[in-house]
Amino acid sequence: PITSIHGVEAEEAWRPHLEENLQRFCRSSQKHMRWLRVSGYNLAGTEKFDLIVCNPPYFIPERGRPSPDERRNAAHRLVL
């Protein structure tokens, strides 16, 4: 069984949606969200995880045409 959920999200505007989804779909009582870029997360820390799930970037920053919307660029391109 899943005993805890840890989430990392850079876009603060997604907070209401993520909190609602955690309430509706997450049965674990241990829910932890951090509002920062994954690059700001201490991956060398003492926390251990059994499974890591992430949405990969869709585009390489040097390729293609960037969107005029910076939030869209941040979500679709690898920006660390």
Side-chain angles (χ1 to χ4, degrees):
I2 296 173
T3 58
S4 66
I5 301 287
H6 293 256
V8 177
E9 174 58 53
E11 187 60 52
E12 181 73 28
W14 284 104
R15 182 184 290 263
H17 305 290
L18 294 172
E19 289 177 348
E20 178 184 345
N21 283 339
L22 284 172
Q23 283 297 112
R24 290 177 67 193
F25 302 113
C26 180
R27 293 190 177 117
S28 171
S29 62
Q30 299 292 317
K31 303 169 191 165
H32 311 278
M33 283 299 301
R34 294 191 174 128
W35 304 97
L36 51 89
R37 289 187 182 276
V38 170
S39 61
Y41 194 82
N42 183 5
L43 298 174
T46 59
E47 292 178 290
K48 302 273 187 224
F49 301 98
D50 293 323
L51 177 68
I52 297 174
V53 179
C54 66
N55 290 331
Y58 302 105
F59 306 105
I60 298 171
E62 297 81 29
R63 293 194 177 162
R65 187 179 71 228
S67 170
D69 182 345
E70 281 305 312
R71 292 183 311 160
R72 189 175 181 101
N73 279 332
H76 290 190
R77 297 176 182 276
L78 179 58
V79 180
L80 297 176

